[in-house]
Structures are given as structure tokens and as C-alpha cells.
Amino acid sequence: RSILHDQRRARHFLESISMGNLRSAMDVFSAFLVSGHTDTSKILQMFERKHGYLIPLHEFIKSVGLGDNRYYHSELSRVMNLFTISDESRPSHFTKMRLLEYLFFHRNHSTSYGPGFIWTDLINDEFGKFGTSKSDIAESLRILTAYLLVENDTYERATVGKGYRMTPAGRYYLRYLSNKFSYLDLVCQDTPIADPLVFDEIKQLVSHTELDDRFTRVQAFLRYLTKEEELEHAAILRSSTSMPLLVKIMPGLSKAFEEDRAFINKRRGRSEPTDLEKTPYSPKDLGSAPD
């Protein structure tokens, strides 16, 4: 019933991360059912008492992302961490996000490989202007391809192609999932933190399951990412003229997170939300869908 609900949040999550593959979507749904983090007793009690229960998206993502693990680990999860570092010698938390932004901006561009494809050499040249290494780009593209967020000209996940374009799954991560509390709450557990004070703050709260404590650790994580982006953005402004790369990532992401946090707080203790949340499937009278 939650998947078939009019808001379709869980269904859109399944469709997006499985890229329309029904078998893969069923595997993800099965993972939710058997996850050690799915509170089955609560769901059944609420369903029996209220004769219905809409499973919140943040609970669904948490169960799928963690599986049977106590903590989130990107290499063991069906949910990708966009903020991992792919080059420790020249670290950046934003290479994957910037690649998605760059490919999304040029989604109507056409090459001999088809619409939306951008030459890998062009990506290397553009990102290299502000210090992103080729190894960082190659590894980031490999991971994005493995999770089906982008596809290359050969449609092979294990090889670096000559051109790349964004997939619907990549658009979903970039425009919808990356700013959700449930997603950020997972990936902050698996992201290297260079600031000792922020690391200690998150470490002290990493085992806490109370919602307010989880909000606190995500807010600390976002403050850290905002500071890191500020340090990198100056170099981008000095050396790049690419429109999608000149725009900061964190201001919009932080604002969307605060809206999601307010929505979750508003519907605490309810079996059904009274206000519809805007989703990519929302009707026009609720606001336009994100690109």
C-alpha cells in the first residue's frame, strides 16, 4: 500500500535506483522486508490500530541502505555515497556531485554517441582547470557508472568510456535524494571527515537512534561540507568559466534538508501525513516537479 500510495515516494525511490529493472526493484523491496532496521512490529501494530500505515521514505531508505549492517558502508550498500573521496592525495567531497551537475547541465548536448553524452577528455580538461586529478575523475565516473547514475559509450560498468551521460537514476540522486535527511544520515557515517572537531561531534552521536540526535549529526555534517566547499570554490572561480561548476552545491542542498527536516518533524507520530510532500511525481497544483 505504501508503494501504491498517491505520493509514490517509495515507488519512485525503487524505480530510480533500479533504473526500471523490475527484478532489481524487487530485490531492493525484498531487502527492505528482511532488513534488521525495518521495525516490523511497529508497522504491524500501526496497521492493525489505524487500518493502514504509510511507511515514511526516510524509514524505507534507512532500511535499504543499511541492510543487516549496524552502520552504513558504501561498498556494502545498495545506496551510493556521493560524498566519498576518490583521490586521497587531492581530496574533494564534491567531484561526483560536480560530475552529475556538469552532465545534467549538458543533457541536451549531442555527440556521435548520442544525446546527452559528453567527451571524457572534455570532462578531464574542464575539471583539471581547478585541480581535480584524472584519477579522481576516473574513479568517480567508475563508481557512478557502477551504481547506474551515469552511463558511458560502451555501456560497460567496469571500463572508463570515451563519453558519459547522466541516467534518470543520476538525476534522482542529484535533484531529490542527495538532500534528504535519511540519505545524509546514512552517508555521514561513511564519509571521511578532515575536521577533528566535527569528526568527534559525529562520532559521539553515531550510535544514537533518537531522531533529534540524528538531525544534529547531519547538521554537523552539512556545516563541515559547506566549509569544505568554500575552500574549493575560490579555486573554481579563478580558473573555470563553466556555468554548472560555478554554482555552489551546499546552499541549495542545506535549504532542502531543512525543509525535509521540518516535514519529518511535522508528521511525527502520525500514521498518515496530512500535507502532501512535493515529489517528482507531484501534480502541478502542488508545485512543479524538479528537473
Side-chain angles (χ1 to χ4, degrees), residues 208-270:
H208 293 207
T209 58
E210 294 82 1
L211 191 57
D212 288 333
D213 290 338
R214 293 168 61 197
F215 283 142
T216 300
R217 71 188 180 210
V218 170
Q219 288 172 315
F221 180 57
L222 293 182
R223 289 196 303 271
Y224 164 74
L225 290 178
T226 299
K227 182 179 178 181
E228 290 294 301
E229 184 181 36
E230 288 292 338
L231 296 175
E232 297 179 17
H233 194 65
I236 298 176
L237 291 177
R238 289 195 302 267
S239 54
S240 177
T241 57
S242 176
M243 288 297 295
L245 300 177
L246 292 174
V247 178
K248 291 182 180 179
I249 295 169
M250 290 309 300
L253 191 150
S254 298
K255 180 181 178 182
F257 160 74
E258 289 299 333
E259 292 174 353
D260 190 42
R261 182 171 72 95
F263 176 80
I264 294 171
N265 276 328
K266 189 175 181 179
R267 67 184 299 271
R268 276 186 179 182
R270 297 174 181 168

Side-chain angles (χ1 to χ4, degrees), residues 135-152:
S135 62
D136 189 358
I137 297 170
E139 180 64 11
S140 295
L141 287 172
R142 184 192 68 79
I143 297 173
L144 289 169
T145 305
Y147 280 88
L148 301 178
L149 274 67
V150 302
E151 58 188 4
N152 58 31

Side-chain angles (χ1 to χ4, degrees), residues 90-108:
R90 301 165 76 175
S92 174
H93 294 289
F94 301 99
T95 302
K96 298 174 188 62
M97 289 285 287
R98 290 185 181 124
L99 284 168
L100 291 177
E101 287 284 4
Y102 189 79
L103 293 176
F104 176 77
F105 184 83
H106 295 287
R107 62 193 181 279
N108 295 321

